[in-house]
Amino acid sequence: MRALLVVNPAATTTSARTRDVLTHALASDLKLEVVATEYRGHARDIARGAVEDGAADLVIALGGDGTVNEVVNGLLHHGPDPDHLPRLAVVPGGSTNVFARALGLPNDVVEATGALLDLLHQGSERTVGLGLASGSPGSEDAEVPARWFTFTAGFGFDAGIVGRVEQQRERGKRSTHALYVRQVVRQFVKEQHRRRGTITLEQPGEDPVEGLVLSIVCNTAPWTYLGNRPLYAAPEASFDTALDLLGLSRLTSAAVSRYGTQLLTSSPERGPRGKHAVTRHDVTGFTLHSQVPQPFQMDGDHLGLRTSVSFTGVRRALRVIA
């Protein structure tokens, strides 16, 4: 099998020696080409080139969720075609690795490589649905290019936290769970609209829902992890359905304590709930508008400020080794 290994040399939990060992292990079973990323967006360009050249049957992403997101967007540059596009495989090398873990892979990079080789020998694969976010027609963000996401997108408070974490990492801070907790506190203190938000949910055939402070869009569950603890913002979300949404219309100290506790104790059967929580399950299309620009993130990658984002849940978008 012709395989392309896209390596992020800055991946949080891998060393050069570890990557060499993993490369040799994969090359023993595959006709392997290895390309290391050199700039933000490079993994997308590499994967797109593999599709257009027809040079690979399988593209393997070695890195964190950001690397996986770039590879997915490269594979789907011309649109989803799961029967003809190269398959995607993931070797987790980031700090959280939500997508890889959602596929059932071990979080340890060496164990995951062994599991991946076993899956390839067995011919085990599945077709997953993905989310697509784009600028809304008629808004000032209408010309923003559409982008795919694998497990989550956030508009508002959640995305602000992601942006703060990225700023700290650019200053040399390690990506730890303590760092995330500190940024949650700082974002809460900064949030001007926490008693009544500026975001409106618009869904075809439904009345608009106004006043959201936080909006988390999920393509699978769990939404993320705190160490080894899975967090379920939308427990019913699945790669086999369209998109799920959790919105919160209030983030006072009491509300943060209540919903934070619910997230920490969430399970596949029970997620956040209450009078300030708005949930949607298996929604194919909806739009989030804001009266003021709000931070936006996809798969843990902060993408700046937006005023309007349209979401589409696309079933059967890509084949993955799982």
Side-chain angles (χ1 to χ4, degrees):
M1 181 184 294
R2 301 171 305 160
L4 172 66
L5 177 62
V6 182
V7 178
N8 178 2
T12 307
T13 59
T14 63
S15 64
R17 183 172 182 177
T18 301
R19 291 191 292 271
D20 286 342
V21 171
L22 302 182
T23 299
H24 285 300
L26 293 168
S28 66
D29 280 33
L30 301 166
K31 185 178 180 181
L32 190 68
E33 178 186 358
V34 182
V35 182
T37 60
E38 299 176 357
Y39 52 86
R40 187 168 183 169
H42 194 191
R44 178 196 61 228
D45 297 340
I46 295 168
R48 177 184 174 182
V51 171
E52 294 175 346
D53 295 342
D57 307 302
L58 173 69
V59 176
I60 307 169
L62 171 53
D65 288 310
T67 302
V68 175
N69 179 276
E70 288 191 13
V71 169
V72 166
N73 275 277
L75 290 173
L76 298 182
H77 179 79
H78 299 290
D81 187 0
D83 294 329
H84 297 97
L85 288 174
R87 285 165 288 178
L88 170 71
V90 179
V91 177
S95 58
T96 310
N97 307 306
V98 178
F99 183 67
R101 293 161 87 172
L103 292 176
L105 291 170
N107 196 39
D108 177 80
V109 63
V110 176
E111 292 182 11
T113 302
L116 174 59
L117 289 170
D118 287 343
L119 292 168
L120 288 169
H121 288 154
Q122 297 162 14
S124 179
E125 62 181 61
R126 63 180 292 193
T127 304
V128 299
L130 298 173
L132 183 66
S134 58
S136 303
S139 74
E140 61 185 70
D141 296 319
E143 301 304 316
V144 174
R147 180 164 171 170
W148 297 90
F149 60 96
T150 64
F151 65 92
T152 192
F155 188 47
F157 185 84
D158 162 61
I161 297 167
V162 171
R164 286 178 172 274
V165 169
E166 282 195 8
Q167 289 177 350
Q168 293 300 311
R169 292 188 65 183
E170 289 171 358
R171 295 170 184 167
K173 301 289 186 180
R174 291 184 63 247
S175 179
T176 64
H177 300 293
L179 175 63
Y180 274 88
V181 171
R182 289 196 298 271
Q183 302 318 309
V184 169
V185 174
R186 290 173 181 172
Q187 182 67 18
F188 174 75
V189 172
K190 172 184 174 292
E191 179 59 59
Q192 300 177 356
H193 305 284
R194 59 177 178 261
R195 289 189 174 273
R196 181 168 178 80
T198 66
I199 299 170
T200 298
L201 165 65
E202 293 185 355
Q203 184 181 344
E206 303 285 343
D207 292 333
V209 179
E210 301 179 341
L212 300 179
V213 183
L214 173 151
S215 50
I216 299 171
V217 182
C218 295
N219 186 50
T220 190
W223 156 59
T224 191
Y225 291 82
L226 189 62
N228 290 321
R229 181 194 295 271
L231 304 181
Y232 295 86
E236 294 183 287
S238 166
F239 289 132
D240 298 321
T241 62
L243 300 175
D244 283 31
L245 171 76
L246 169 66
L248 297 179
S249 60
R250 178 167 291 196
L251 282 180
T252 60
S253 298
V256 167
S257 176
R258 179 168 62 254
Y259 292 117
T261 299
Q262 289 179 359
L263 268 175
L264 289 173
T265 59
S266 59
S267 70
E269 293 76 35
R270 193 170 178 84
R273 64 240 170 240
K275 65 179 181 180
H276 301 299
V278 176
T279 60
R280 297 288 186 272
H281 172 58
D282 195 13
V283 182
T284 301
F286 59 92
T287 300
L288 296 172
H289 298 286
S290 178
Q291 300 166 19
V292 298
Q294 290 283 356
F296 179 56
Q297 68 90 9
M298 295 174 67
D299 287 346
D301 187 9
H302 188 260
L303 299 178
L305 301 178
R306 303 279 179 86
T307 57
S308 186
V309 187
S310 292
F311 294 91
T312 305
V314 181
R315 293 178 175 85
R316 291 186 50 79
L318 188 66
R319 288 186 302 167
V320 299
I321 304 301

